Every structure is written in structure tokens, then in C-alpha cells.
């Protein structure tokens, strides 16, 4: 086959469509990733920018020297502080994702089973929080959860408690903030999966003697697995690197990797160390996603 035959056989329309997102990922993900990875292999320096160059050219001796510093990655393994930050971030993100799923599933199921007009209204209510500032919504929860906030005032007025509860600057407040903020990211994928479900399957299960709870676990839940996986990934991934919610709602002992990155970049001005932390966090998040997607691809081909 000549090169002219190859050119004629190429589907240029399909190639052009694929090239647009590929170019977008290359410019806004791959190239910045390489820049951060390059900084992680350098050494901190009192300069602008605050790190040394990897390539050094000696004009007198005509030497080009390449210096790769892997000490930042070795220090991550030696210092338990960073491991605790990773584990704490994963724990908080996992627990928040679980509660988000528990809360989002009945909401998505209700929207999927609603009539056309009501369904559009309910979806609009789910998306409505996106129309307001993320920072303002987090600040609003500070007003709810503080000692003289609305929640404590209501509980004390009804006689449920005698003294204000300490809710702000705790992990509990962080969970509430993450669940509230990322709830739409869980509801929408679940709704997309549940809306496509064939209701005749539930009717057939009922005719065969299945109770509603059995039908849920045998039919509804398995069919909603793609939406569950997509929603959990959309919530878990940004929650691991969350900074604003722990900073505003969490306490001083709420350790998350987002705050560690902020401190390394802006307080310590140790950009190489911060870049190494970011690279490791990215690897920790990307590898499981690749394995999950690979497993889903194999199941689809079977």
C-alpha cells in the first residue's frame, strides 16, 4: 500500500474530531504535568523561580550537565508526615464519597422515575447550586455550624441540647462540606444510569415473587453500577485534593494533602518538594482509575 492509498483511507473527519480533545489534553494536562515533574527533580533555591535548573551549561569547559534530584521523592518515603497526609486525604475522601452515594442514590432514583415536567424541575434544583459561588456556599455552612449558628440555636430552642455543639473546625464539618458541594456530581451520573433502566424488569421480578428490597439488589443496583462508578470517581478524585473546604470548615488537626501542597508552595516556598507531593498524588489517583477503566473495557468485550 502506497502512502497515497493510506492518505485516502484515513477518515479525516474522525481524526479531526479526536484531535481536538487530544490537543486540549496535551496543552492543559500533559505539558503542565511535565513542567511539574521537571520541578520535582530540581533543588530548592533562593531565587526566582525558587528552584535550580536541571541543565547547566559551562561555557568555559563546554560541559552540559544534567542534575536530577530524587531526594524529594526519597524524603516523602522517610517522613511519616506526608504519608499521614495522603492516608488522611484518602480516608476523608472515601468516607465523604460513601455518604454522598447514600444520599444521592434515592434523589437520582426519584428524579429518574418522575414525570417529564417534574423531572426537568428536579434536575434544575440539583444543578442550581452551581449558579452560586463555591466559596460563598462553603462560608454559608460556617454560619450554620458555628456555636451560635442556626443549627445550634434550633437545637437549643427545641430543648434537644443544653449547650452548643462543637461542629465547626472538625472532620464532621469537612464531611458535610464535601458531601454538599459534590452531591450534584454523584446525582447526575446515577440519574443517567437509572433513567435508562427498563421498568418491565421490575414488573417481571414482582410477578415472579420478588420483594421490593430483593428487586433493588438483584436488578436496580447492578444496572446502576456504571453510574455509581462514574459518580464515585467524580466525587473522590477532587475530594482527595480539596483545600478550601478543610481550610474553612476543618480544624488545625484536619490533615489533607491540599493543605500540605499550599504550605509547601506558599509558606515554605519549596516548589520541588511540593511538585513531588503533587506528582505522587496524581499517580496514586490515576493508577486505580486506569485499572478500573481497563476492567470495565474487558467486561464490555466479553
Amino acid at each position: 500500500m502506497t502512502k497515497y492509498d493510506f492518505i485516502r483511507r484515513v477518515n479525516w473527519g474522525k481524526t479531526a474530531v479526536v484531535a481536538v480533545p487530544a490537543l486540549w489534553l496535551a496543552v492543559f494536562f500533559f505539558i503542565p504535568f511535565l513542567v511539574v515533574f521537571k520541578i520535582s527533580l530540581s533543588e530548592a533555591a533562593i531565587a526566582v523561580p525558587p528552584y535550580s535548573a536541571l541543565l547547566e551549561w559551562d561555557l568555559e569547559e563546554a560541559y552540559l550537565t544534567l542534575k536530577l534530584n530524587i531526594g524529594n521523592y526519597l524524603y516523602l518515603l522517610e517522613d511519616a508526615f506526608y504519608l499521614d497526609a495522603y492516608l488522611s486525604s484518602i480516608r476523608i475522601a472515601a468516607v465523604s464519597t460513601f455518604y454522598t452515594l447514600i444520599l444521592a442514590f434515592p434523589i437520582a432514583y426519584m428524579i429518574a422515575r418522575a414525570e417529564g415536567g417534574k423531572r426537568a424541575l428536579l434536575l434544575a434544583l440539583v444543578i442550581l447550586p452551581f449558579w452560586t459561588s463555591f466559596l460563598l456556599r462553603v462560608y454559608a455552612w460556617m454560619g450554620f455550624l458555628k456555636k451560635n449558628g442556626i443549627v445550634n440555636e434550633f437545637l437549643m430552642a427545641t430543648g434537644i441540647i443544653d449547650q452548643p455543639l462543637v461542629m465547626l473546625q472538625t472532620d464532621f464539618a469537612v464531611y458535610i462540606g464535601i458531601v454538599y458541594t459534590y452531591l450534584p456530581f454523584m446525582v447526575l451520573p446515577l440519574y443517567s444510569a437509572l433513567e435508562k433502566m427498563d421498568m418491565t424488569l421490575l414488573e417481571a421480578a414482582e410477578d415472579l415473587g420478588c420483594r421490593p428490597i430483593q428487586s433493588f439488589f438483584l436488578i436496580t443496583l447492578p444496572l446502576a453500577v456504571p453510574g455509581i462508578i462514574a459518580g464515585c470517581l467524580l466525587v473522590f478524585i477532587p475530594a482527595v485534593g480539596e483545600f478550601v473546604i478543610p481550610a474553612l470548615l476543618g480544624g488545625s488537626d484536619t490533615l489533607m494533602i491540599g493543605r500540605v501542597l499550599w504550605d509547601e508552595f506558599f509558606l515554605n516556598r519549596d516548589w520541588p518538594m511540593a511538585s513531588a507531593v503533587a506528582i505522587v498524588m496524581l499517580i496514586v489517583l490515576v493508577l486505580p482509575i486506569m485499572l478500573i477503566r481497563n476492567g470495565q473495557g474487558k467486561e464490555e468485550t466479553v
Side-chain angles (χ1 to χ4, degrees), residues 31-42 54 73 275 279 283:
I31 295 178
F33 171 80
L34 292 179
V35 172
V36 174
F37 182 66
K38 166 186 169 294
I39 296 175
S40 70
L41 295 175
S42 61
L54 296 184
Y73 293 97
S275 299
I279 292 295
I283 294 174

Side-chain angles (χ1 to χ4, degrees), residues 173-282:
V174 176
Y175 292 140
I176 290 180
I178 293 177
V179 170
Y180 166 75
T181 302
Y182 294 106
L183 184 63
F185 294 100
M186 184 71 76
V187 171
L188 295 178
L190 286 173
Y191 162 76
S192 178
L194 293 171
E195 191 268 340
K196 300 174 183 177
M197 190 177 70
D198 189 357
M199 293 301 296
T200 58
L201 296 175
L202 297 178
E203 297 176 0
E206 185 179 357
D207 293 339
L208 293 174
C210 255
R211 297 179 180 179
I213 188 68
Q214 292 175 320
S215 300
F216 173 78
F217 284 104
L218 295 176
I219 298 175
T220 304
L221 191 60
L223 292 177
V225 166
I228 292 174
I229 294 176
C232 288
L233 290 177
L234 288 174
V235 174
F236 179 79
I237 293 173
V240 170
E242 183 60 57
F243 167 73
V244 175
I245 295 175
L248 296 179
L249 300 182
S252 58
D253 58 341
T254 303
L255 184 60
M256 292 193 71
I257 204 66
R259 177 175 291 186
V260 173
L261 282 172
W262 173 274
D263 292 341
E264 292 290 354
F265 267 115
F266 298 101
L267 295 182
N268 301 335
R269 287 189 61 81
D270 192 347
W271 286 24
M273 191 66 207
S275 299
V277 172
I279 292 295
V280 172
M281 182 179 69
L282 183 63

